[in-house]
Amino acid sequence: MKNRLIVACGSGVATSQTIASKIASMFEEDGIDFPVEAVDYKSIQSELPSTGIYVFVAQPDEEVLEKAEELGVKVFPGIPFLTGMGSAEIYEEIKELVE
């Protein structure tokens, strides 16, 4: 797997940065050294080839999902990391991929 997790939102600043920080903190607590970056959705097509895991804020369009599948990028929803509802299960799936 490519060694990078990206979180994408419209601007790559507010929501994606919050989620990226939360995931990075969870990795740190679990002793996992894996890069986590916030990016803006406009650059997602150029970011996917160097990414192993993509966490989205807004539902990505079909073209992005197809590209992710073609590249073997695993895709996960990010909103649970904001609400706390379902984040533990998603985090466990992500953790299994990076350990």
Side-chain angles (χ1 to χ4, degrees):
M1 167 171 298
K2 298 174 201 90
N3 285 341
R4 186 167 79 127
L5 180 151
I6 61 170
V7 182
C9 71
S11 67
V13 178
T15 310
S16 59
Q17 189 60 57
T18 301
I19 295 169
S21 294
K22 189 160 201 164
I23 293 171
S25 293
M26 294 168 88
F27 280 173
E28 191 174 324
E29 287 174 17
D30 288 333
I32 297 170
D33 182 22
F34 197 85
V36 179
E37 296 176 37
V39 301
D40 69 283
Y41 188 75
K42 292 181 286 295
S43 66
I44 195 71
Q45 290 284 10
S46 62
E47 298 285 353
L48 284 175
S50 62
T51 300
I53 301 168
Y54 163 37
V55 177
F56 63 85
V57 175
Q59 179 67 37
D61 61 38
E62 199 58 42
E63 184 181 345
V64 169
L65 292 173
E66 287 172 8
K67 180 78 168 180
E69 185 175 347
E70 174 187 313
L71 294 167
V73 175
K74 303 298 182 197
V75 180
F76 296 93
I79 296 301
F81 290 99
L82 291 177
T83 65
M85 297 181 69
S87 62
E89 294 86 354
I90 295 169
Y91 178 70
E92 286 303 316
E93 288 182 54
I94 291 171
K95 195 167 110 171
E96 286 177 20
L97 294 171
V98 300
E99 286 186 310

